[in-house]
Amino acid sequence: MQQKIDAAGRLGTEPISRLLLQYSIPAITGMLCNALYNVVDRIFIGQAVNEIALGGISLVMPLMTVGMAFAMLFGIGAANMISMRLGQGRREEAQNALNHCFFLLISAGLLIMTFTLIFLDPVLSLMGAAEGSEALGYAREYFRITLYGIVFFLLSFGLSHCTRAQGFPAITMIGMILGAVLNIVFDALFILVFRWGVQGAAWATVVSQFTVTVYILFFAMSKKAAVKLNLSRFKPKPAVIMQIMAFGSAQFLLQFMMSAVQLLNNTSVGWYGADSLGVSNGGDVALSGMNIVGAVLMLILMPVFGINQGAQPLLGFNYGARKFDRVLRAYLGAIAAASSICIIGFTVVMLFPVQLIKIFSPDGSDALMYFAPRAMRIMMLLLPLSGFQIVSTNLFVVTGRPKISIFLSMLRQCIALIPCILIFGRLWGLWGVIIAAPVADGFAFFVTGAFIIFELRKLKKNKELNSAAGVT
């Protein structure tokens, strides 16, 4: 038992830089591996099927993001609650949060699967493809199969956050690596050997996510876990569910708004692409190009999300323990690391856009090679500012003010970006839709900066009060 307590308790004693590195590296590895589920699928599909199939995968991204939103609502919500309750010494409440998380994830997955399978064609028809689009057929093949594994996706992603929050980031990292490696192996087998096309990519994802779920559950129910999953002691409590949802609401809304933006992007790109690219299937080509740009952006931002998640247990535990000096140092360290990754990604994108596109589509059409590199450079003009935005939004969650975090999460994804897409698209067509992204990034950066100035002042004031009272 003492070893379990030490696993969480060291969050309040060991050097911040060491803990941030120790927690962020597994989280970064895990997030990159999670990104590889989609990115590797796209690479194999683009190289072994065709570039229009990439457009089909783009059509289902808003729906898959909705699934991710629920995984974050319950997974990150429970993880935030677990880390804070451990910091406060309330271990039984932390275990209760984990038990609730498990059942909430399963319930959400079953509901999403059932509803979407029943209304699959009507739902897909709303995803932005033009009438008669070849990409729509690929989308239907891919998404029907991935729905069968949506429960495993939610469980593996959501419970991984809870495992990290209680002081075992390496377990999460191993699970994500396992899933990513299996996804690559089965992609190669199902797509290149069996020639199953987009269906092979979908089955590879389902099998790998099932494996990760089994691995995480095995640990969560073992004696090694600091907070053990104990289903026999589960008693549903509406108050606990509401707390979990409150803690995870910021990330949920962010992902949900991302889904709305992806849908609006698909619709706008499909509509304007037909006229702007000068080819009969311009809408499908533009969708494929945006899918590739999204994959590259995902690879850059996943390490940033990993740093954010790695910092979360440090921020939550130390804020719960009223060690405000450590909260401040963990926040600033996470900002520096996240911004560094964004700057590196920005540099690579600006220097090698064509080479990045060819990884996904080595024989891409002239229209794709004209559109995608230019779109990539424009959309990521203000990428270096994203690290600050992501980490700062999470700070308000652990300081007990989720409403501000929700607002800042929605700011870039909804409040600023959606109007920009609508207005600029009407003014400048396809390229107006592309320009909307950096404009929204800049607006969100300045508003978040204004909020964070006041928050940092409060943390410094609390730190000074602690020092005056002799609290370390």
Side-chain angles (χ1 to χ4, degrees):
M1 178 63 70
Q2 184 63 38
Q3 184 178 1
K4 296 178 184 179
I5 295 174
D6 290 344
R10 60 192 174 85
L11 293 170
T13 57
E14 292 189 5
I16 288 293
S17 57
R18 182 192 303 169
L19 286 170
L20 189 58
L21 186 65
Q22 183 179 355
Y23 274 71
S24 293
I25 289 178
I28 289 170
T29 304
M31 292 302 291
L32 280 174
C33 290
N34 188 62
L36 287 176
Y37 282 115
N38 289 320
V39 173
V40 171
D41 283 353
R42 298 178 200 189
I43 292 174
F44 276 101
I45 289 171
Q47 295 192 2
V49 185
N50 57 56
E51 68 182 47
I52 301 303
L54 287 172
I57 304 302
S58 182
L59 290 175
V60 304
M61 283 300 109
L63 300 172
M64 297 179 73
T65 303
V66 169
M68 175 74 79
F70 282 97
M72 287 188 165
L73 175 64
F74 301 128
I76 292 181
N80 280 325
M81 190 171 174
I82 288 169
S83 62
M84 290 188 70
R85 295 299 178 259
L86 288 174
Q88 296 164 348
R90 297 153 67 178
R91 184 170 298 274
E92 186 174 345
E93 292 184 25
Q95 183 183 59
N96 198 24
L98 178 62
N99 290 337
H100 275 76
C101 178
F102 176 79
F103 284 102
L104 287 169
L105 290 169
I106 290 180
S107 300
L110 291 176
L111 286 173
I112 292 171
M113 179 185 71
T114 302
F115 176 84
T116 312
L117 283 175
I118 292 173
F119 300 103
L120 181 61
D121 285 341
V123 168
L124 286 177
S125 67
L126 300 174
M127 290 299 104
E131 185 176 352
S133 167
E134 182 184 352
L136 189 59
Y138 290 115
R140 184 180 298 107
E141 291 180 42
Y142 183 85
F143 194 52
R144 179 183 289 111
I145 295 171
T146 57
L147 280 171
Y148 298 141
I150 190 72
V151 171
F152 306 131
F153 167 65
L154 264 66
L155 280 173
S156 62
F157 188 84
L159 293 180
S160 293
H161 287 286
C162 297
T163 302
R164 184 185 301 112
Q166 57 184 286
F168 295 95
I171 298 297
T172 298
M173 179 183 69
I174 294 171
M176 290 298 182
I177 292 175
L178 175 65
V181 170
L182 286 177
N183 193 50
I184 294 171
V185 170
F186 285 117
D187 265 332
L189 180 64
F190 295 159
I191 297 176
L192 300 182
V193 178
F194 294 169
R195 301 291 179 182
W196 289 356
V198 294
Q199 295 184 27
W203 279 117
T205 299
V206 171
V207 172
S208 58
Q209 288 172 349
F210 170 77
T211 306
V212 176
T213 300
V214 172
Y215 172 79
I216 294 295
L217 282 176
F218 181 80
F219 173 80
M221 302 179 75
S222 71
K223 295 181 179 180
K224 295 181 180 179
V227 179
K228 185 177 179 180
L229 181 65
N230 191 338
L231 303 182
S232 63
R233 298 186 62 181
F234 172 70
K235 293 181 180 179
K237 295 182 179 180
V240 175
I241 295 174
M242 294 304 295
Q243 282 184 308
I244 290 174
M245 293 176 66
F247 279 121
S249 57
Q251 291 298 326
F252 170 78
L253 284 175
L254 176 61
Q255 289 297 314
F256 201 84
M257 289 304 105
M258 284 180 64
S259 176
V261 171
Q262 287 170 342
L263 175 58
L264 179 60
N265 256 321
N266 285 347
T267 305
S268 302
V269 165
W271 175 266
Y272 295 118
D275 296 328
S276 299
L277 297 184
V279 292
S280 59
N281 63 342
D284 286 348
V285 172
L287 283 170
S288 299
M290 291 296 286
N291 196 355
I292 295 173
V293 173
V296 174
L297 181 61
M298 184 189 304
L299 284 176
I300 296 171
L301 289 184
M302 281 301 166
V304 176
F305 288 124
I307 291 171
N308 193 35
Q309 292 176 15
Q312 185 274 327
L314 280 73
L315 294 168
F317 185 97
N318 286 288
Y319 192 83
R322 300 188 62 81
K323 297 184 177 183
F324 300 112
D325 179 54
R326 292 177 63 83
V327 173
L328 183 61
R329 285 188 282 134
Y331 166 73
L332 295 177
I335 289 287
S339 298
S340 298
I341 290 175
C342 288
I343 292 171
I344 292 171
F346 170 82
T347 303
V348 173
V349 164
M350 293 300 140
L351 293 177
F352 309 107
V354 174
Q355 291 82 349
L356 291 172
I357 300 300
K358 285 185 174 293
I359 293 175
F360 295 84
S361 184
D363 300 318
S365 64
D366 291 341
L368 179 69
M369 299 312 299
Y370 166 78
F371 169 71
R374 290 169 174 80
M376 184 181 296
R377 278 178 164 166
I378 293 171
M379 291 185 67
M380 302 190 199
L381 274 175
L382 296 184
L383 180 61
L385 306 181
S386 296
F388 170 82
Q389 172 76 13
I390 292 169
V391 175
S392 296
T393 298
N394 187 52
L395 180 64
F396 292 97
V397 176
V398 299
T399 57
R401 286 185 291 170
K403 291 183 179 180
I404 295 179
S405 184
I406 291 170
F407 168 73
L408 295 177
S409 297
M410 294 178 62
L411 183 62
R412 196 271 177 188
Q413 293 298 332
C414 177
I415 299 172
L417 185 55
I418 290 179
C420 285
I421 291 175
L422 294 172
I423 295 171
F424 297 163
R426 178 174 288 273
L427 291 175
W428 302 302
L430 179 62
W431 296 108
V433 176
I434 304 303
I435 292 169
V439 173
D441 285 338
F443 180 76
F445 172 80
F446 284 110
V447 174
T448 302
F451 274 93
I452 210 67
I453 288 173
F454 292 101
E455 188 64 22
L456 292 180
R457 287 177 179 173
K458 290 183 178 180
L459 283 175
K460 290 179 180 178
K461 183 178 180 179
N462 287 330
K463 171 188 169 184
E464 292 169 356
L465 292 174
N466 274 358
S467 299
V471 179
T472 57

